[in-house]
């Protein structure tokens, strides 16, 4: 058998065993695509992909989105690696560390960009942190499936406003105006359904620190609901924590899981190389705040 994929937990995770020489075989790529839909996260233990090999696999898997240069912290990248986004707090590569620090909180990639939601994120470990640094994944598909029916009915039609600045709030006591303006100019405030019915017919919860406001509810009521649903998703039953080993390669279904990183020493030089696959489905639309009714004299 060229490839085998073993479940990690009942609701999430798969270990892919494949000879690297066969990684680009049609059969292997299709098996990984199918498994990604079912398992949410796929781990290729210590496969030690080069940048070129990661790019080749990414291109075989789908349409690559080049985030480098448009994603904060990626502007300093150069050379062949230009095609891969470096996730690191190393100041040589990242002049705006708060975006990477933001990954320490639950999120979905690309939610505050007005484009189809990225389908998959692919990550290679290049330099590990001595402690911490595990990437945690929560299945928002399984979390929806297992919600009690009454709760499903109560939230089924809710819409949520997502703001990049919301995901940056953990970094500040008071957010400087200059930073706030930067976040607002580089992102789009988006209106997304809380429960996303995907073209496959499956439903997932759309949550993360960028989820800022539930339309039609007061801020505290809406934020409390978002916090409670996030806690629901983060239960052990729906989550997998990946303990990185040198050379590991991990793919996740960005439309079916949210993720975060366990904090690590900010000076340790931890380095991950990321590529991203374009999605086919648009999740929501830019948010237009309701205009106040003006009484004409
Ligand atoms: Fe991320």
């Amino acid at each position: 058998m060229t490839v085998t994929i073993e479940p990690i937990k009942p609701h999430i995770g798969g270990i892919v065993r494949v000879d690297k020489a066969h990684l680009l075989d049609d059969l292997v790529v299709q098996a990984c695509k199918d498994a990604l839909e079912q398992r949410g996260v796929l781990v290729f233990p210590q496969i030690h992909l080069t940048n070129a090999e990661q790019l080749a696999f990414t291109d075989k898997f789908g349409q690559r989105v080049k985030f480098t240069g448009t994603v904060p912290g990626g502007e300093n990248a150069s050379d062949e690696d230009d095609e891969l986004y470096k996730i690191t707090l190393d100041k040589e590569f990242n002049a705006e560390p708060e975006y990477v620090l933001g990954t320490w909180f639950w999120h979905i990639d690309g939610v505050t960009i007005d484009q189809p939601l990225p389908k998959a994120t692919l990550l290679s470990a290049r330099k590990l942190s001595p402690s911490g640094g595990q990437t945690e994944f929560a299945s928002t598909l399984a979390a929806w499936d297992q919600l009690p029916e009454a709760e499903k009915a109560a939230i089924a039609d809710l819409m949520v406003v997502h703001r990049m600045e919301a995901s940056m709030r953990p970094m500040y006591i008071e957010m400087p105006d200059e930073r706030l303006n930067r976040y607002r100019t580089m992102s789009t405030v988006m209106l997304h359904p809380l429960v996303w019915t995907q073209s496959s017919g499956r439903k997932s919860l759309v949550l993360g620190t960028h989820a800022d406001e539930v339309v039609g509810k007061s801020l505290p009521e809406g934020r409390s609901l978002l916090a409670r649903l996030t806690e629901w998703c983060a239960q052990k039953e729906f989550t997998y924590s990946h303990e990185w080993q040198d050379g590991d390669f991990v793919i996740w279904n960005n439309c079916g899981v949210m993720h975060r990183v366990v904090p690590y020493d900010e000076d340790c030089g931890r380095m991950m190389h990321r590529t991203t696959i374009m999605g086919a489905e648009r999740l929501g639309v830019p948010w237009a705040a309701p205009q106040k009714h003006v009484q004409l004299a």
Side-chain angles (χ1 to χ4, degrees):
M1 192 68 180
T2 311
V3 59
T4 60
I5 300 170
E6 308 151 16
I8 297 175
K9 294 176 74 174
H11 289 302
I12 189 167
I15 302 272
V16 181
R17 311 268 181 209
V18 60
D19 180 345
K20 196 162 118 174
H22 291 287
L23 189 62
L24 298 184
D25 290 2
D26 290 343
L27 181 147
V28 171
V29 172
Q30 190 57 50
C32 291
K33 283 185 181 180
D34 294 344
L36 193 67
E37 292 303 313
Q38 299 307 316
R39 304 271 87 226
V41 183
L42 298 180
V43 177
F44 299 68
Q46 299 195 281
I47 193 167
H48 292 283
L49 296 185
T50 64
N51 287 340
E53 287 167 340
Q54 179 170 343
L55 288 167
F57 182 76
T58 306
D59 287 339
K60 185 92 186 189
F61 208 83
Q63 186 182 346
R64 177 157 45 101
V65 188
K66 190 183 170 195
F67 268 143
T68 310
T70 57
V71 162
E75 291 89 341
N76 293 342
S78 59
D79 67 33
E80 184 229 359
D81 302 348
D82 192 33
E83 300 294 322
L84 296 103
Y85 173 51
K86 295 178 175 63
I87 300 178
T88 184
L89 290 167
D90 186 330
K91 293 179 182 62
E92 182 185 344
F93 300 98
N94 185 354
E96 297 186 286
E98 67 262 43
Y99 303 106
V100 172
L101 295 171
T103 68
W104 292 3
F105 303 87
W106 288 117
H107 67 283
I108 297 171
D109 291 336
V111 168
T112 55
I113 303 172
D114 183 18
Q115 66 176 27
L117 195 69
K119 173 60 186 168
T121 306
L122 306 86
L123 210 57
S124 282
R126 289 286 183 251
K127 183 172 181 197
L128 303 181
S129 53
S131 62
Q134 300 89 342
T135 305
E136 300 180 321
F137 303 93
S139 172
T140 52
L141 291 159
W144 164 261
D145 285 343
Q146 301 291 320
L147 256 188
E149 290 304 318
E151 288 190 47
K152 282 184 178 175
I155 67 169
D157 298 321
L158 293 177
M159 301 296 291
V160 177
V161 180
H162 292 253
R163 296 184 174 92
M164 176 186 267
E165 67 206 55
S167 61
M168 293 293 116
R169 280 186 201 126
M171 263 49 78
Y172 304 98
I173 299 293
E174 288 181 38
M175 191 179 287
D177 286 347
E178 172 270 322
R179 291 281 81 193
L180 181 59
N181 291 336
R182 170 102 165 114
Y183 305 144
R184 287 182 177 174
T185 49
M186 67 184 306
S187 66
T188 302
V189 180
M190 295 295 292
L191 181 68
H192 295 308
L194 175 57
V195 182
W196 181 25
T197 305
Q198 304 184 18
S199 62
S200 63
R202 299 174 80 191
K203 293 178 190 250
S204 64
L205 292 163
V206 181
L207 295 164
T209 46
H210 32 75
D212 198 25
E213 183 180 343
V214 178
V215 176
K217 293 189 183 292
S218 70
L219 280 181
E221 187 184 0
R223 287 175 174 172
S224 171
L225 173 64
L226 296 169
R228 286 168 184 278
L229 288 171
T230 302
E231 288 166 13
W232 172 261
C233 290
Q235 294 179 84
K236 283 223 164 354
E237 188 182 352
F238 308 131
T239 55
Y240 165 64
S241 178
H242 184 64
E243 185 80 48
W244 289 93
Q245 309 246 23
D246 193 33
D248 280 359
F249 177 57
V250 171
I251 310 175
W252 64 90
N253 174 7
N254 190 54
C255 298
V257 302
M258 57 179 178
H259 60 287
R260 69 177 177 186
V261 180
V262 174
Y264 50 89
D265 178 353
E266 295 179 30
D267 297 319
C268 72
R270 182 183 188 269
M271 172 73 75
M272 303 299 214
H273 284 186
R274 185 182 82 184
T275 46
T276 304
I277 299 284
M278 171 87 88
E281 295 184 60
R282 205 165 263 279
L283 174 55
V285 295
W287 163 242
Q291 301 293 309
K292 284 206 169 67
H293 181 68
V294 178
Q295 190 81 42
L296 294 175

